[in-house]
């Protein structure tokens, strides 16, 4: 499958986590990375070009830091403009049918903070419900998010490991080693590592 990564970090030069995730995949064949803030510094999004890019992709990844329990602003603007009625949704809007959508994000908050008893009260998949439903409306399958919790606090080695797992996941989807339908049964894509692919792969889901 062809993988399209739409990266949205307003200051990528100052990023630690997103930059590391992107560095691992930038030179991979069959995986294209688009830096939305670099391409559209004035938010003047080229809708036909973005739609063409989407049509050529099978898996679409929103890659971003978690900002106010959501995406940075350009991804919302991109969604508002690019996913047009009659193209992405509606009776004749079938351009995205059968494709897959996933968020790959980094947080400042810890994994413990994201749950009923944590400071943030809700899980990451709960915060991402509007994006999951956008995918459903556009007849796409929403895949569980890949989340790097507290990435800036990770030791270099641990950060490199999580970037490596992210790369394996995308390469696995690209090469049909990871079955997206099986992946969709997991709460977080991170939990599928080693179960859907890699040593001892079984494909159970949680
Ligand atoms: C404007 C802004 C909003 C943020 N909102 C959240 C948030 O809602 N939840 C959270 O866990 N972290 C939040 N953070 C922390 C970032 O997610 C974190 O610094 C980032 O993911 C680290 O990745 P980077 O090194 O690629 O920038 C926020 C940071 C900024 C600047």
């Amino acid at each position: 499958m062809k993988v399209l990564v739409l990266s949205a970090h307003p200051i990528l030069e100052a990023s630690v986590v997103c930059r590391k995730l992107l560095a691992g995949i930038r030179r991979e064949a069959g995986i294209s990375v688009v830096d939305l803030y670099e391409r559209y510094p004035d938010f003047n999004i080229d809708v036909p070009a973005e739609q063409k890019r989407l049509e050529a992709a099978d898996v679409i990844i929103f890659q971003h830091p978690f900002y106010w329990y959501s995406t940075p602003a350009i991804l919302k603007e991109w969604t508002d403009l690019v996913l047009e009625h009659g193209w992405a949704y509606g009776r004749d809007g079938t351009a995205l049918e059968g494709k897959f959508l996933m968020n790959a994000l980094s947080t400042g908050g810890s994994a413990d903070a994201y749950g009923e008893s944590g400071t943030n009260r809700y899980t990451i998949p709960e915060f991402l419900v509007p994006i999951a439903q956008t995918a459903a409306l556009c007849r796409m399958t929403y895949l569980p998010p890949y989340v790097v919790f507290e990435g800036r606090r990770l030791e270099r080695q641990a950060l490199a490991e999580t970037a490596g797992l992210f790369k394996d996941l995308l390469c696995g989807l690209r090469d049909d080693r990871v079955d997206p339908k099986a992946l969709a049964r997991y709460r977080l894509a991170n939990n599928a590592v080693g179960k859907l692919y890699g040593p001892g792969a079984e494909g159970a889901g949680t």
Side-chain angles (χ1 to χ4, degrees):
M1 295 201 286
K2 290 207 167 49
V3 180
L4 170 65
V5 179
L6 297 172
S7 159
H9 196 300
I11 323 166
L12 201 53
E13 316 82 76
S15 155
V16 174
V17 191
C18 294
R19 210 145 57 101
K20 186 74 181 168
L21 293 182
L22 294 177
I25 55 170
R26 271 195 197 279
R27 276 174 289 280
E28 283 296 323
I31 300 178
S32 31
V33 178
V34 176
D35 177 345
L36 291 177
Y37 277 102
E38 181 191 56
R39 190 148 305 200
Y40 304 115
D42 52 5
F43 276 45
N44 195 5
I45 291 169
D46 183 342
V47 172
E50 293 302 313
Q51 290 180 344
K52 208 167 149 208
R53 223 196 293 285
L54 290 178
E55 282 167 5
D58 302 298
V59 181
I60 298 136
I61 313 279
F62 287 172
Q63 198 289 308
H64 58 94
F66 210 35
Y67 275 9
W68 288 109
Y69 308 109
S70 184
T71 69
I74 204 166
L75 258 173
K76 181 63 166 62
E77 180 74 352
W78 180 96
T79 304
D80 293 351
L81 296 179
V82 176
L83 304 187
E84 286 180 325
H85 181 260
W87 182 82
Y89 70 101
R91 200 162 53 94
D92 302 318
T94 56
L96 301 174
E97 189 166 359
K99 299 182 190 292
F100 299 93
L101 180 67
M102 175 196 268
N103 289 76
L105 59 95
S106 65
T107 72
S110 67
D112 287 347
Y114 284 97
E116 212 179 323
S117 54
T119 333
N120 296 318
R121 303 200 293 140
Y122 301 95
T123 65
I124 298 279
E126 285 169 335
F127 282 118
L128 295 175
V129 159
I131 298 176
Q133 177 52 26
T134 298
L137 190 73
C138 297
R139 303 175 168 97
M140 290 190 275
T141 299
Y142 184 70
L143 297 174
Y146 188 84
V147 183
V148 182
F149 288 105
E150 285 186 293
R152 276 175 175 259
R153 301 180 77 126
L154 291 177
E155 301 284 345
R156 260 179 75 175
Q157 175 72 16
L159 186 59
E161 267 169 33
T162 199
L165 294 176
F166 178 59
K167 176 182 170 178
D168 287 348
L169 177 64
L170 297 202
C171 292
L173 287 164
R174 177 195 65 188
D175 302 339
D176 295 330
R177 281 183 289 113
V178 174
D179 173 7
K181 296 251 156 64
L183 179 59
R185 292 200 295 268
Y186 286 80
R187 205 173 53 81
L188 297 181
N190 312 49
N191 300 346
V193 172
K195 294 185 184 158
L196 282 182
Y197 56 100
E202 42 191 63
T206 49

